[in-house]
Amino acid sequence: MKSTTLRLGLAALFAAWLPTAVHAAPLEEVRLDYAFYSPESLVIKHNGWLEKDFASTGTEVRWVLSRGSNNSLEFLNSGASNFALTSSISAFVSRTNGQPVKAIYNYLWSVPSAILVQADSPYQTLHDLRGKQIAATKGTDPYFFLLRALAAENLKPADVKIVHLQHPEGRTALEQGRVDGWAGLDPHMAGAQLAGARFIYENAEFGLGAFLNTQERFLAEQPEAVATVVKAYERARRWIIANPEEAAQLVSGETQLPVEVIRLQLSRYDFSKPLPGQLHLDAIKPVIPLLVADGVLRRNADTEAALASLIDARIAKDVIEASDEPR
């Protein structure tokens, strides 16, 4: 019953795209990124689900490792990948700045970062880091979190010295004393925390979605391939919820990080909001003025249009609803 419902729903959806899709060349290869911050991607890759799902069409599956949303979007926008795992804000920034990014699924919801210092650091508050060096990866959620944190504490980006490092290098720089603070990202943040680093700034109100994205043209020309990928992500999401300890063990093996680090990482993730929608867009809105002020977005950018056109949840809606059908 479930598979029949899904086929019927997706068939109707593909029919809407048929005039475009019939002109697309056969899909010889599908390219995806995987990331330590996306447990679903690690589950899918480890189990070879997409390789099995695409076997009947002869489509090869290629994987590339992304170290952050900026990395992931570089792959997508250059054509090195067909799908990108990013923060919702990063996807919005990319679309606002002219890239045809479409968010098609929300693979998790979380408060994406915190500001960390070493255990023996004299700093106790964000104000104590005025004039000090804070590592962050520009174009990613921890960077945007840092901008929000500074604004919430009536500080400006110029009040600190932001050092642009990829997430793993940011942790290393903190532990080596080359920076005073770090806007972390899990699982590296969980690893640093268990190794003795401590939070000096957290904010539970800064929760955001994390998107699986593709490009408009690929979505229009290859809806069946998109549906296959979304189904794999939905399968992985449900498996993680049902098997938390097995998921922690699997992700630990894939990342080569201690399982206690992964348990802490997964404990901070909310997997209950897979359908991207207004909730996810509303969470982006408070960040937009900070992005403009920081020069991340052009001052004349049409942010309202970009936000309104960012999500296309039609395939995800059908996949999730079909998965909810009783067998």
mmCIF file of all heavy atoms in Angstrom, residues 97-132:
data_model
loop_
_atom_site.group_PDB
_atom_site.id
_atom_site.type_symbol
_atom_site.label_atom_id
_atom_site.label_comp_id
_atom_site.label_asym_id
_atom_site.label_seq_id
_atom_site.Cartn_x
_atom_site.Cartn_y
_atom_site.Cartn_z
ATOM 1 N N ASN A 97 22.190 35.647 -3.612
ATOM 2 C CA ASN A 97 23.317 36.154 -4.386
ATOM 3 C C ASN A 97 23.366 35.631 -5.813
ATOM 4 O O ASN A 97 24.374 35.778 -6.509
ATOM 5 C CB ASN A 97 24.631 35.837 -3.663
ATOM 6 C CG ASN A 97 24.840 36.718 -2.446
ATOM 7 O OD1 ASN A 97 24.235 37.796 -2.326
ATOM 8 N ND2 ASN A 97 25.679 36.293 -1.518
ATOM 9 N N GLY A 98 22.267 35.002 -6.246
ATOM 10 C CA GLY A 98 22.134 34.705 -7.671
ATOM 11 C C GLY A 98 22.265 33.271 -8.097
ATOM 12 O O GLY A 98 22.136 32.974 -9.295
ATOM 13 N N GLN A 99 22.498 32.348 -7.162
ATOM 14 C CA GLN A 99 22.622 30.943 -7.539
ATOM 15 C C GLN A 99 21.242 30.270 -7.488
ATOM 16 O O GLN A 99 20.458 30.529 -6.586
ATOM 17 C CB GLN A 99 23.591 30.225 -6.599
ATOM 18 C CG GLN A 99 25.019 30.749 -6.663
ATOM 19 C CD GLN A 99 25.676 30.518 -8.013
ATOM 20 O OE1 GLN A 99 25.258 29.654 -8.779
ATOM 21 N NE2 GLN A 99 26.699 31.295 -8.307
ATOM 22 N N PRO A 100 20.954 29.388 -8.457
ATOM 23 C CA PRO A 100 19.614 28.767 -8.533
ATOM 24 C C PRO A 100 19.451 27.587 -7.583
ATOM 25 O O PRO A 100 19.088 26.471 -7.967
ATOM 26 C CB PRO A 100 19.532 28.322 -9.987
ATOM 27 C CG PRO A 100 20.949 28.003 -10.351
ATOM 28 C CD PRO A 100 21.802 29.020 -9.617
ATOM 29 N N VAL A 101 19.695 27.824 -6.301
ATOM 30 C CA VAL A 101 19.616 26.781 -5.285
ATOM 31 C C VAL A 101 18.158 26.562 -4.874
ATOM 32 O O VAL A 101 17.406 27.518 -4.689
ATOM 33 C CB VAL A 101 20.455 27.165 -4.049
ATOM 34 C CG1 VAL A 101 20.253 26.174 -2.920
ATOM 35 C CG2 VAL A 101 21.923 27.270 -4.423
ATOM 36 N N LYS A 102 17.777 25.298 -4.732
ATOM 37 C CA LYS A 102 16.449 24.955 -4.236
ATOM 38 C C LYS A 102 16.583 24.001 -3.057
ATOM 39 O O LYS A 102 17.232 22.951 -3.159
ATOM 40 C CB LYS A 102 15.617 24.285 -5.333
ATOM 41 C CG LYS A 102 14.948 25.258 -6.289
ATOM 42 C CD LYS A 102 13.809 26.015 -5.628
ATOM 43 C CE LYS A 102 13.022 26.840 -6.650
ATOM 44 N NZ LYS A 102 11.945 27.617 -5.996
ATOM 45 N N ALA A 103 15.963 24.341 -1.939
ATOM 46 C CA ALA A 103 15.939 23.481 -0.760
ATOM 47 C C ALA A 103 14.790 22.496 -0.909
ATOM 48 O O ALA A 103 13.638 22.905 -1.095
ATOM 49 C CB ALA A 103 15.763 24.310 0.501
ATOM 50 N N ILE A 104 15.094 21.198 -0.827
ATOM 51 C CA ILE A 104 14.084 20.182 -1.125
ATOM 52 C C ILE A 104 13.764 19.278 0.067
ATOM 53 O O ILE A 104 12.787 18.522 0.019
ATOM 54 C CB ILE A 104 14.515 19.313 -2.314
ATOM 55 C CG1 ILE A 104 15.894 18.688 -2.055
ATOM 56 C CG2 ILE A 104 14.501 20.135 -3.606
ATOM 57 C CD1 ILE A 104 16.336 17.684 -3.117
ATOM 58 N N TYR A 105 14.562 19.349 1.140
ATOM 59 C CA TYR A 105 14.351 18.476 2.291
ATOM 60 C C TYR A 105 15.104 19.074 3.467
ATOM 61 O O TYR A 105 16.152 19.710 3.280
ATOM 62 C CB TYR A 105 14.887 17.068 1.975
ATOM 63 C CG TYR A 105 14.623 16.022 3.040
ATOM 64 C CD1 TYR A 105 13.390 15.380 3.123
ATOM 65 C CD2 TYR A 105 15.612 15.654 3.950
ATOM 66 C CE1 TYR A 105 13.151 14.397 4.088
ATOM 67 C CE2 TYR A 105 15.384 14.680 4.916
ATOM 68 C CZ TYR A 105 14.155 14.063 4.979
ATOM 69 O OH TYR A 105 13.919 13.100 5.938
ATOM 70 N N ASN A 106 14.565 18.879 4.675
ATOM 71 C CA ASN A 106 15.244 19.347 5.884
ATOM 72 C C ASN A 106 15.756 18.135 6.655
ATOM 73 O O ASN A 106 14.968 17.365 7.207
ATOM 74 C CB ASN A 106 14.285 20.153 6.758
ATOM 75 C CG ASN A 106 14.997 20.764 7.950
ATOM 76 O OD1 ASN A 106 15.717 21.745 7.819
ATOM 77 N ND2 ASN A 106 14.799 20.179 9.119
ATOM 78 N N TYR A 107 17.088 17.939 6.667
ATOM 79 C CA TYR A 107 17.601 16.702 7.252
ATOM 80 C C TYR A 107 17.792 16.782 8.759
ATOM 81 O O TYR A 107 17.907 15.737 9.411
ATOM 82 C CB TYR A 107 18.889 16.246 6.552
ATOM 83 C CG TYR A 107 20.075 17.170 6.644
ATOM 84 C CD1 TYR A 107 20.961 17.091 7.709
ATOM 85 C CD2 TYR A 107 20.327 18.099 5.634
ATOM 86 C CE1 TYR A 107 22.063 17.923 7.789
ATOM 87 C CE2 TYR A 107 21.422 18.930 5.701
ATOM 88 C CZ TYR A 107 22.296 18.842 6.760
ATOM 89 O OH TYR A 107 23.383 19.677 6.830
ATOM 90 N N LEU A 108 17.794 17.968 9.333
ATOM 91 C CA LEU A 108 17.753 18.082 10.790
ATOM 92 C C LEU A 108 17.507 19.532 11.183
ATOM 93 O O LEU A 108 17.585 20.451 10.370
ATOM 94 C CB LEU A 108 19.035 17.562 11.455
ATOM 95 C CG LEU A 108 20.383 18.209 11.135
ATOM 96 C CD1 LEU A 108 20.646 19.457 11.971
ATOM 97 C CD2 LEU A 108 21.504 17.201 11.383
ATOM 98 N N TRP A 109 17.178 19.710 12.454
ATOM 99 C CA TRP A 109 16.968 21.025 13.058
ATOM 100 C C TRP A 109 17.846 21.076 14.303
ATOM 101 O O TRP A 109 17.916 20.107 15.060
ATOM 102 C CB TRP A 109 15.496 21.199 13.437
ATOM 103 C CG TRP A 109 15.161 22.494 14.114
ATOM 104 C CD1 TRP A 109 15.326 22.795 15.435
ATOM 105 C CD2 TRP A 109 14.590 23.665 13.516
ATOM 106 N NE1 TRP A 109 14.892 24.072 15.691
ATOM 107 C CE2 TRP A 109 14.449 24.633 14.534
ATOM 108 C CE3 TRP A 109 14.199 23.987 12.219
ATOM 109 C CZ2 TRP A 109 13.913 25.884 14.292
ATOM 110 C CZ3 TRP A 109 13.671 25.238 11.983
ATOM 111 C CH2 TRP A 109 13.524 26.178 12.988
ATOM 112 N N SER A 110 18.530 22.189 14.516
ATOM 113 C CA SER A 110 19.390 22.275 15.701
ATOM 114 C C SER A 110 19.748 23.728 15.981
ATOM 115 O O SER A 110 19.587 24.599 15.120
ATOM 116 C CB SER A 110 20.682 21.470 15.495
ATOM 117 O OG SER A 110 21.521 22.108 14.539
ATOM 118 N N VAL A 111 20.230 23.956 17.187
ATOM 119 C CA VAL A 111 20.980 25.184 17.457
ATOM 120 C C VAL A 111 22.383 24.884 16.952
ATOM 121 O O VAL A 111 23.069 24.021 17.501
ATOM 122 C CB VAL A 111 20.986 25.526 18.956
ATOM 123 C CG1 VAL A 111 21.836 26.770 19.200
ATOM 124 C CG2 VAL A 111 19.578 25.735 19.460
ATOM 125 N N PRO A 112 22.822 25.546 15.897
ATOM 126 C CA PRO A 112 23.958 25.031 15.133
ATOM 127 C C PRO A 112 25.330 25.250 15.743
ATOM 128 O O PRO A 112 26.300 24.658 15.282
ATOM 129 C CB PRO A 112 23.837 25.779 13.806
ATOM 130 C CG PRO A 112 23.190 27.077 14.178
ATOM 131 C CD PRO A 112 22.219 26.731 15.274
ATOM 132 N N SER A 113 25.439 26.088 16.749
ATOM 133 C CA SER A 113 26.773 26.422 17.228
ATOM 134 C C SER A 113 26.717 26.928 18.662
ATOM 135 O O SER A 113 25.645 27.073 19.263
ATOM 136 C CB SER A 113 27.412 27.493 16.320
ATOM 137 O OG SER A 113 28.755 27.744 16.669
ATOM 138 N N ALA A 114 27.893 27.164 19.201
ATOM 139 C CA ALA A 114 28.090 27.835 20.485
ATOM 140 C C ALA A 114 29.476 28.453 20.419
ATOM 141 O O ALA A 114 30.290 28.087 19.564
ATOM 142 C CB ALA A 114 27.983 26.854 21.645
ATOM 143 N N ILE A 115 29.751 29.392 21.306
ATOM 144 C CA ILE A 115 31.082 29.990 21.363
ATOM 145 C C ILE A 115 31.865 29.283 22.466
ATOM 146 O O ILE A 115 31.432 29.256 23.622
ATOM 147 C CB ILE A 115 31.027 31.500 21.623
ATOM 148 C CG1 ILE A 115 30.045 32.176 20.651
ATOM 149 C CG2 ILE A 115 32.421 32.111 21.489
ATOM 150 C CD1 ILE A 115 30.353 31.971 19.186
ATOM 151 N N LEU A 116 33.012 28.709 22.106
ATOM 152 C CA LEU A 116 33.807 27.914 23.027
ATOM 153 C C LEU A 116 35.140 28.584 23.319
ATOM 154 O O LEU A 116 35.703 29.291 22.471
ATOM 155 C CB LEU A 116 34.095 26.523 22.454
ATOM 156 C CG LEU A 116 32.942 25.535 22.347
ATOM 157 C CD1 LEU A 116 32.088 25.808 21.113
ATOM 158 C CD2 LEU A 116 33.478 24.108 22.282
ATOM 159 N N VAL A 117 35.640 28.324 24.520
ATOM 160 C CA VAL A 117 37.010 28.685 24.904
ATOM 161 C C VAL A 117 37.619 27.462 25.577
ATOM 162 O O VAL A 117 36.922 26.502 25.919
ATOM 163 C CB VAL A 117 37.047 29.896 25.860
ATOM 164 C CG1 VAL A 117 36.468 31.139 25.192
ATOM 165 C CG2 VAL A 117 36.306 29.583 27.163
ATOM 166 N N GLN A 118 38.908 27.484 25.772
ATOM 167 C CA GLN A 118 39.560 26.387 26.459
ATOM 168 C C GLN A 118 39.214 26.383 27.951
ATOM 169 O O GLN A 118 38.845 27.417 28.529
ATOM 170 C CB GLN A 118 41.079 26.474 26.279
ATOM 171 C CG GLN A 118 41.552 25.949 24.922
ATOM 172 C CD GLN A 118 41.330 24.438 24.788
ATOM 173 O OE1 GLN A 118 40.211 23.956 24.646
ATOM 174 N NE2 GLN A 118 42.422 23.688 24.825
ATOM 175 N N ALA A 119 39.362 25.226 28.580
ATOM 176 C CA ALA A 119 38.961 25.068 29.982
ATOM 177 C C ALA A 119 39.679 26.040 30.901
ATOM 178 O O ALA A 119 39.084 26.558 31.862
ATOM 179 C CB ALA A 119 39.213 23.629 30.430
ATOM 180 N N ASP A 120 40.947 26.314 30.628
ATOM 181 C CA ASP A 120 41.732 27.191 31.507
ATOM 182 C C ASP A 120 41.726 28.644 31.051
ATOM 183 O O ASP A 120 42.488 29.467 31.555
ATOM 184 C CB ASP A 120 43.175 26.692 31.611
ATOM 185 C CG ASP A 120 43.868 26.638 30.247
ATOM 186 O OD1 ASP A 120 43.200 26.893 29.212
ATOM 187 O OD2 ASP A 120 45.080 26.325 30.217
ATOM 188 N N SER A 121 40.847 28.964 30.104
ATOM 189 C CA SER A 121 40.779 30.329 29.601
ATOM 190 C C SER A 121 40.245 31.271 30.682
ATOM 191 O O SER A 121 39.356 30.903 31.459
ATOM 192 C CB SER A 121 39.848 30.388 28.385
ATOM 193 O OG SER A 121 39.551 31.733 28.033
ATOM 194 N N PRO A 122 40.739 32.502 30.745
ATOM 195 C CA PRO A 122 40.215 33.465 31.716
ATOM 196 C C PRO A 122 38.871 34.066 31.290
ATOM 197 O O PRO A 122 38.219 34.745 32.086
ATOM 198 C CB PRO A 122 41.292 34.550 31.754
ATOM 199 C CG PRO A 122 41.904 34.507 30.391
ATOM 200 C CD PRO A 122 41.881 33.053 29.985
ATOM 201 N N TYR A 123 38.435 33.801 30.044
ATOM 202 C CA TYR A 123 37.240 34.444 29.516
ATOM 203 C C TYR A 123 35.984 33.702 29.960
ATOM 204 O O TYR A 123 35.898 32.477 29.890
ATOM 205 C CB TYR A 123 37.303 34.503 27.990
ATOM 206 C CG TYR A 123 38.615 35.070 27.484
ATOM 207 C CD1 TYR A 123 39.456 34.319 26.663
ATOM 208 C CD2 TYR A 123 39.031 36.344 27.858
ATOM 209 C CE1 TYR A 123 40.655 34.827 26.222
ATOM 210 C CE2 TYR A 123 40.246 36.867 27.422
ATOM 211 C CZ TYR A 123 41.057 36.100 26.602
ATOM 212 O OH TYR A 123 42.256 36.598 26.174
ATOM 213 N N GLN A 124 35.001 34.487 30.429
ATOM 214 C CA GLN A 124 33.763 33.920 30.946
ATOM 215 C C GLN A 124 32.535 34.314 30.127
ATOM 216 O O GLN A 124 31.525 33.623 30.170
ATOM 217 C CB GLN A 124 33.558 34.366 32.401
ATOM 218 C CG GLN A 124 34.678 33.956 33.340
ATOM 219 C CD GLN A 124 34.832 32.457 33.459
ATOM 220 O OE1 GLN A 124 33.847 31.720 33.465
ATOM 221 N NE2 GLN A 124 36.083 31.983 33.547
ATOM 222 N N THR A 125 32.610 35.422 29.410
ATOM 223 C CA THR A 125 31.476 35.910 28.627
ATOM 224 C C THR A 125 31.966 36.341 27.260
ATOM 225 O O THR A 125 33.170 36.511 27.024
ATOM 226 C CB THR A 125 30.787 37.109 29.296
ATOM 227 O OG1 THR A 125 31.653 38.264 29.219
ATOM 228 C CG2 THR A 125 30.456 36.818 30.761
ATOM 229 N N LEU A 126 31.034 36.558 26.368
ATOM 230 C CA LEU A 126 31.383 37.019 25.027
ATOM 231 C C LEU A 126 32.023 38.403 25.083
ATOM 232 O O LEU A 126 32.920 38.716 24.293
ATOM 233 C CB LEU A 126 30.129 37.030 24.138
ATOM 234 C CG LEU A 126 30.337 37.076 22.620
ATOM 235 C CD1 LEU A 126 31.263 35.970 22.143
ATOM 236 C CD2 LEU A 126 28.998 36.978 21.905
ATOM 237 N N HIS A 127 31.598 39.213 26.029
ATOM 238 C CA HIS A 127 32.199 40.549 26.173
ATOM 239 C C HIS A 127 33.679 40.452 26.518
ATOM 240 O O HIS A 127 34.467 41.336 26.164
ATOM 241 C CB HIS A 127 31.451 41.359 27.232
ATOM 242 C CG HIS A 127 30.180 41.954 26.733
ATOM 243 N ND1 HIS A 127 30.116 43.198 26.144
ATOM 244 C CD2 HIS A 127 28.911 41.459 26.717
ATOM 245 C CE1 HIS A 127 28.878 43.466 25.801
ATOM 246 N NE2 HIS A 127 28.123 42.423 26.134
ATOM 247 N N ASP A 128 34.071 39.384 27.197
ATOM 248 C CA ASP A 128 35.478 39.203 27.537
ATOM 249 C C ASP A 128 36.348 38.972 26.302
ATOM 250 O O ASP A 128 37.573 39.136 26.359
ATOM 251 C CB ASP A 128 35.661 38.020 28.494
ATOM 252 C CG ASP A 128 35.027 38.266 29.851
ATOM 253 O OD1 ASP A 128 34.860 39.443 30.227
ATOM 254 O OD2 ASP A 128 34.700 37.276 30.534
ATOM 255 N N LEU A 129 35.711 38.611 25.186
ATOM 256 C CA LEU A 129 36.455 38.352 23.951
ATOM 257 C C LEU A 129 36.560 39.590 23.064
ATOM 258 O O LEU A 129 37.022 39.510 21.926
ATOM 259 C CB LEU A 129 35.794 37.207 23.167
ATOM 260 C CG LEU A 129 35.929 35.818 23.793
ATOM 261 C CD1 LEU A 129 35.156 34.792 22.978
ATOM 262 C CD2 LEU A 129 37.388 35.407 23.894
ATOM 263 N N ARG A 130 36.137 40.730 23.577
ATOM 264 C CA ARG A 130 36.290 41.972 22.820
ATOM 265 C C ARG A 130 37.771 42.179 22.490
ATOM 266 O O ARG A 130 38.637 42.129 23.365
ATOM 267 C CB ARG A 130 35.772 43.168 23.625
ATOM 268 C CG ARG A 130 35.782 44.498 22.855
ATOM 269 C CD ARG A 130 35.479 45.647 23.806
ATOM 270 N NE ARG A 130 34.103 45.602 24.289
ATOM 271 C CZ ARG A 130 33.099 46.246 23.721
ATOM 272 N NH1 ARG A 130 33.320 46.989 22.643
ATOM 273 N NH2 ARG A 130 31.883 46.176 24.233
ATOM 274 N N GLY A 131 38.052 42.382 21.212
ATOM 275 C CA GLY A 131 39.430 42.581 20.757
ATOM 276 C C GLY A 131 40.226 41.298 20.600
ATOM 277 O O GLY A 131 41.389 41.331 20.199
ATOM 278 N N LYS A 132 39.593 40.156 20.897
ATOM 279 C CA LYS A 132 40.280 38.871 20.831
ATOM 280 C C LYS A 132 39.941 38.149 19.521
ATOM 281 O O LYS A 132 39.031 38.522 18.790
ATOM 282 C CB LYS A 132 39.903 37.999 22.030
ATOM 283 C CG LYS A 132 40.147 38.661 23.376
ATOM 284 C CD LYS A 132 41.606 39.032 23.578
ATOM 285 C CE LYS A 132 41.819 39.671 24.945
ATOM 286 N NZ LYS A 132 43.232 40.088 25.147
#
